[in-house]
């Protein structure tokens, strides 16, 4: 969908359309017995960054701080039930509703705006490309601000003291969070790997062919599994692991999403 963001109402129309698709995918995943579903970077609000208008201007809200503003919302605190504490228009709250309805862990990419002061002055606000994980009861398991934002004029770099973000699910698997370009940078991957994390739900937005060979080499080198959800679809979308024995019953469904069984170490 191509659009010009003029206000919050129009932005929420875009989000609503994409949340309906998320709901459908989560429902199908539940029917397959899936325990976790991963959605792509910018999946709720943006086009792939390679998509440009006829005049060469990126159509993605991510390419402009003004464009992304209407999509920004407070997320909540880790450990908080996002269903009971959120307004009906809360993006995170609606994602939590999907997680609870379909008894599935949801990993999704959103944007959070943080005000440093009690005012709306743009200069006091920080906008973070934000990855969240929500459990089957709608509780926020984890929140991670992308350490290496691609659009540096749109998204702020988080504080240097931000720790690595991991979360453990009800089914006993520990996951570590990174987003897109983070995987090509030294941190946070180095610290996550040192902690022994081997499972990575990974929201990404690259052209369909761009990441496949790197993902294969990275997982093989580090002995890990990557659950890649790519906005650009294609070969960069799917499951990558250091061993083919770790992934079974792989099925690519209509709509370019993958269902599989992962053997977690």
């Amino acid at each position: 969908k191509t659009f010009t963001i003029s206000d919050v109402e129009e932005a929420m129309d875009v989000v609503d359309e994409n949340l309906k698709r998320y709901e459908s995918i989560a429902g199908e995943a539940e029917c397959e017995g899936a325990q976790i579903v991963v959605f792509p970077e910018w999946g709720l609000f943006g086009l792939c960054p390679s998509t440009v208008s006829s005049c060469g201007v990126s159509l993605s809200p991510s390419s402009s701080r003004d464009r992304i503003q209407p999509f920004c919302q407070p997320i909540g605190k880790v450990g908080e039930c996002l269903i009971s504490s959120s307004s009906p228009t809360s993006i995170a709250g609606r994602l939590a509703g999907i997680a609870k309805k379909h008894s599935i862990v949801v990993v999704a990419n959103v944007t959070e705006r943080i005000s440093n002061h009690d005012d709306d002055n743009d200069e006091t606000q920080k906008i973070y490309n934000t990855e969240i994980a929500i459990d089957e009861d709608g509780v926020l398991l984890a929140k991670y601000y992308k350490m290496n934002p691609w659009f540096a004029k749109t998204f702020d770099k988080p504080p240097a003291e931000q720790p690595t973000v991991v979360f453990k699910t009800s089914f006993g698997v520990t996951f570590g969070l990174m987003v897109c370009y983070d995987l090509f940078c030294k941190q946070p991957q180095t610290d996550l790997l040192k902690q022994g994390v081997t499972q990575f739900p990974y929201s990404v937005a690259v052209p369909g062919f761009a990441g496949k060979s790197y993902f294969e080499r990275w997982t093989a080198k580090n002995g890990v599994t990557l659950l890649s959800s790519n906005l650009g679809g294609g070969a960069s979308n799917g499951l990558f692991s250091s061993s083919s024995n770790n992934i079974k019953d792989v099925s690519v469904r209509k709509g370019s999403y993958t269902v599989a069984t992962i053997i977690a170490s």
Side-chain angles (χ1 to χ4, degrees):
K1 181 180 179 179
T2 300
F3 55 87
T4 300
I5 298 304
S6 59
D7 54 29
V8 173
E9 183 175 332
E10 185 174 356
M12 290 304 101
D13 286 343
V14 173
V15 170
D16 185 64
E17 181 179 324
N18 289 316
L19 279 172
K20 289 176 182 177
R21 180 60 180 146
Y22 279 24
E23 169 88 46
S24 174
I25 291 172
E28 292 172 23
E30 179 190 16
C31 291
E32 296 283 351
Q35 295 170 299
I36 184 170
V37 60
V38 185
F39 293 108
E41 185 181 30
W42 307 332
L44 286 175
F45 55 80
L47 298 172
C48 187
S50 63
T51 304
V52 296
S53 68
S54 59
C55 60
V57 178
S58 173
L59 298 173
S60 170
S62 307
S63 64
S64 163
R65 200 169 178 90
D66 289 338
R67 283 178 179 267
I68 204 65
Q69 286 274 3
F71 295 93
C72 297
Q73 291 185 351
I75 303 302
K77 297 179 180 180
V78 173
E80 180 180 6
C81 180
L82 300 179
I83 298 173
S84 59
S85 63
S86 301
S87 71
T89 58
S90 166
I91 296 172
R94 292 181 66 184
L95 287 167
I98 291 173
K100 185 174 178 63
K101 178 179 178 180
H102 299 290
S103 300
I104 195 167
V105 174
V106 169
V107 177
N109 187 250
V110 295
T111 58
E112 184 166 38
R113 181 173 52 232
I114 303 294
S115 296
N116 293 334
H117 303 285
D118 295 329
D119 58 48
D120 294 324
N121 186 343
D122 288 344
E123 295 182 0
T124 69
Q125 295 179 346
K126 300 292 184 181
I127 295 177
Y128 296 117
N129 181 324
T130 308
E131 192 84 340
I132 58 175
I134 304 168
D135 78 4
E136 304 93 330
D137 293 318
V139 174
L140 184 62
L141 282 173
K143 178 167 65 173
Y144 165 72
Y145 297 145
K146 186 179 179 181
M147 186 176 289
N148 305 283
W150 181 258
F151 287 109
K153 292 184 178 180
T154 302
F155 299 104
D156 293 292
K157 194 175 178 68
E161 61 270 19
Q162 175 182 243
T164 54
V165 176
V166 300
F167 63 94
K168 188 171 184 178
T169 61
S170 62
F171 45 93
V173 178
T174 298
F175 294 92
L177 292 181
M178 293 186 287
V179 179
C180 200
Y181 188 51
D182 285 333
L183 193 67
F184 298 83
C185 301
K186 183 177 180 179
Q187 294 294 0
Q189 65 163 289
T190 299
D191 287 345
L192 287 166
L193 292 169
K194 284 182 179 178
Q195 292 177 39
V197 179
T198 61
Q199 308 295 320
F200 295 90
Y202 180 59
S203 299
V204 57
V206 296
F209 61 87
K212 180 177 183 292
S213 61
Y214 182 80
F215 298 166
E216 290 173 337
R217 293 195 306 272
W218 186 81
T219 53
K221 175 184 176 182
N222 295 296
V224 300
T225 300
L226 192 71
L227 292 68
S228 175
S229 181
N230 182 29
L231 187 63
S236 297
N237 191 66
L239 303 171
F240 301 86
S241 183
S242 56
S243 172
S244 59
N245 294 329
N246 292 338
I247 301 176
K248 299 181 178 180
D249 307 320
V250 178
S251 177
V252 179
R253 304 301 168 84
K254 183 178 180 181
S256 299
Y257 67 92
T258 303
V259 177
T261 299
I262 299 172
I263 309 301
S265 56

